Amino acid sequence: MSEIRETVLELLAQLGSSREARQYLKEFSSVGESRFAVVKVGGGILLDHLDELASALAFLHRLGLRPVVLHGAGPQVDAALDNAGVESERIDGLRVTTEDVMAVARPVIYEQTMRLVDALEKRGIRARGIQHGIFRAKVLNREKYGLVGEITDIDLDPLERTIDAGALPVLTFLGESPSGQVLNINADVAARELVWAIKPHKIIFLTPAGGLLDRDGRVISAVSLTNDYDALMREPWVHSGMRLKLQQIHELLMGLDASASVSITSANQLTRELFTYRGAGTLVRRGEAIDLHEPPDDAVMDQVIERVESSFGRELREDWRDRLHKPAVLMSATGRAAAVVVEGAGSVPYLDKFVVTPEAQGEGLGAAMWQVLRARYPTMYWRSRNTNPITPWYFQQADTSDRKGKWVVFTIGIEEPDLRRQVVKEALRRDPGWAGEEGE
Ligand code: ARG
């Protein structure tokens, strides 16, 4: 226990916030031991980033978390085939696996498993390469693909025994037929079937790019299947590889609990991705719907008030809700993100409250909420204290900003200067609605 504590402290010092780290450690430890995470590692990572990978996995292991590691060996197998002068072709995205190909590939794949296991054990972590008995398969089409297997069944027993023994399981994409013939299994299919069998809380893809990239080559922080998926799939810059990846992740997450998520990150960003709100990489979740309540009923208002009070750490006055002029509420399904819009000066919508819990922000729910808000209200204005951590972000979203004392007033879509002056003036006079504090 004390060793774990020390490790936690080391982690906290690294990342800066103990609250976040503790919250996620609790969350990840609350699911069954073998259900924390499946980590899919491409062969390229074993080639170029073995040290970072082993140290990130060892770290999780010391925290008492037992990720299941599934690794590939694509580049290593390609190189070995080249060396041996063995031809291999791909049909329908599957590597045609002749006896010759298998003879070259199998030892190379096992060697990669061993390298990872060795690297972990060098760090004092018990690890076990499980080379048989997980993926039961039958030959898919001997004439066409050779020794390529189709999974018929997954046996989690060897994996659970490994975890019970306190070791970290390392698997690869080989299966076997009932008679013991080793079969090559497509990496994406193996990952999907394993994930569906284990039903982990997190699925982690470690890639050199460290996430899904937007059109400018920057990592997209979060994707909500509910709010962003369709729009992303329509984007012309989403190339075919990324499209396929998104489709696969979509399919994967639809087969799991709504609380499951996929993180695409790199080996050296993994710890930050897992233990901070913001993460480092791309987080994909099913996400939650954002609904408009106009007018909001009492139950919705109760939820909003609770959220606002706990986010700002202060209480609203009793009559706050009754004094809202023609209110509308946007709220996400879990109530972790909400916006209250009222009719303001000159009938322009005024954004009275905007709250998103920090962890929902990390999931991209704040950005999703903002999009829905912008689509519904092409013109609006709002204000924020200059000490509010969200104020810098508002500067990026707004068309205009006016600073006055401790307030900044923002507007969007208001073209007429007179109207703009009018709403800015009115915003500064607004009653904030907190208890024990009249208009300031
Ligand atoms: N630490 C949390 C998790 O792993 C949130 C990560 C947020 N990541 C992101 N790329 N936005 O579930």
Side-chain angles (χ1 to χ4, degrees), residues 338-360:
V340 180
V341 179
V342 297
E343 192 178 287
S347 300
V348 179
Y350 174 73
L351 175 61
D352 195 284
K353 297 281 180 267
F354 183 76
V355 280
V356 184
T357 66
E359 115 235 7

Side-chain angles (χ1 to χ4, degrees), residues 20 24 27-28 36 201-202 204 210 219-223 259-265 270-285 358-364:
E20 296 167 55
Y24 287 115
E27 177 182 323
F28 300 150
F36 154 53
H201 185 58
K202 299 249 8 155
I204 298 163
V219 170
I220 301 172
S221 169
V223 175
S259 60
S261 62
V262 170
S263 281
I264 307 164
T265 185
L270 177 59
T271 312
R272 185 176 298 277
E273 168 65 10
L274 288 175
F275 294 100
T276 64
Y277 294 137
R278 294 185 87 163
T282 306
L283 180 80
V284 189
R285 295 181 48 115
E359 115 235 7
Q361 271 170 43
E363 292 166 22

Side-chain angles (χ1 to χ4, degrees), residues 1-13 22 25 59 62-64:
M1 192 62 203
S2 80
E3 193 202 344
I4 293 174
R5 284 191 78 88
E6 255 172 61
T7 320
V8 174
L9 291 173
E10 186 189 311
L11 162 85
L12 303 185
R22 277 176 208 283
L25 182 57
F59 186 75
R62 289 213 186 84
L63 287 170

Side-chain angles (χ1 to χ4, degrees), residues 95-388:
R95 190 197 290 276
V96 175
T97 310
T98 58
E99 305 249 340
D100 286 349
V101 169
M102 182 59 95
V104 173
R106 194 160 67 123
V108 173
I109 295 171
Y110 289 162
E111 189 195 323
Q112 295 310 310
T113 304
M114 296 297 287
R115 280 184 68 225
L116 180 53
V117 168
D118 286 350
L120 288 164
E121 299 216 303
K122 260 216 300 267
R123 285 173 170 75
I125 297 303
R126 289 193 55 200
R128 226 181 245 182
I130 308 180
Q131 301 181 326
H132 301 284
I134 302 268
F135 299 110
R136 301 198 180 138
K138 62 171 199 252
V139 174
L140 182 59
N141 180 336
R142 182 83 207 224
E143 278 75 61
K144 201 163 168 196
Y145 308 114
L147 297 172
V148 167
E150 178 181 25
I151 298 175
T152 51
D153 185 18
I154 290 197
D155 186 359
L156 293 181
D157 201 45
L159 200 144
E160 265 148 17
R161 282 218 303 274
T162 303
I163 289 177
D164 286 346
L168 206 141
V170 178
L171 328 176
T172 185
F173 309 114
L174 291 175
E176 65 234 8
S177 73
S179 67
Q181 169 66 55
V182 174
L183 297 170
N184 183 15
I185 294 171
N186 175 270
D188 295 321
V189 175
R192 183 186 67 203
E193 296 300 320
L194 184 72
V195 161
W196 281 349
I198 296 181
K199 301 205 179 305
H201 185 58
K202 299 249 8 155
I203 299 110
I204 298 163
F205 293 112
L206 297 182
T207 66
L212 295 178
L213 304 181
D214 69 10
R215 86 182 81 192
D216 302 318
R218 280 182 311 231
V219 170
I220 301 172
S221 169
V223 175
S224 149
L225 296 181
T226 308
N227 300 305
D228 313 321
Y229 182 76
D230 292 338
L232 260 180
M233 294 298 269
R234 279 196 299 268
E235 291 285 350
W237 53 268
V238 175
H239 56 81
S240 60
M242 175 161 166
R243 204 170 286 273
L244 183 66
K245 188 101 266 173
L246 277 165
Q247 276 165 351
Q248 286 171 345
I249 292 174
H250 188 288
E251 187 190 10
L252 204 61
L253 285 176
M254 288 306 160
L256 299 173
D257 285 356
S259 60
S261 62
V262 170
S263 281
I264 307 164
T265 185
S266 60
N268 56 14
Q269 297 284 13
L270 177 59
T271 312
R272 185 176 298 277
E273 168 65 10
L274 288 175
F275 294 100
T276 64
Y277 294 137
R278 294 185 87 163
T282 306
L283 180 80
V284 189
R285 295 181 48 115
R286 262 210 239 173
E288 48 196 271
I290 294 169
D291 295 315
L292 177 66
H293 305 267
E294 190 172 22
D297 61 22
D298 282 348
V300 166
M301 277 321 283
D302 286 345
Q303 236 183 315
V304 169
I305 289 171
E306 207 184 298
R307 175 61 62 216
V308 168
E309 292 184 336
S310 68
S311 294
F312 287 90
R314 49 203 304 199
E315 262 171 53
L316 289 163
R317 269 201 319 274
E318 288 288 334
D319 64 351
W320 177 74
R321 83 167 74 178
D322 303 326
R323 289 168 64 166
L324 297 173
H325 185 49
K326 300 195 189 164
V329 168
L330 280 170
M331 191 154 70
S332 74
T334 58
R336 294 179 305 157
V340 180
V341 179
V342 297
E343 192 178 287
S347 300
V348 179
Y350 174 73
L351 175 61
D352 195 284
K353 297 281 180 267
F354 183 76
V355 280
V356 184
T357 66
E359 115 235 7
Q361 271 170 43
E363 292 166 22
L365 202 51
M369 176 63 100
W370 193 258
Q371 266 175 27
V372 176
L373 192 65
R374 292 289 296 113
R376 174 70 183 78
Y377 301 102
T379 64
M380 66 176 178
Y381 68 111
W382 70 101
R383 69 175 183 184
S384 176
R385 279 175 198 266
N386 51 26
T387 51
N388 190 328

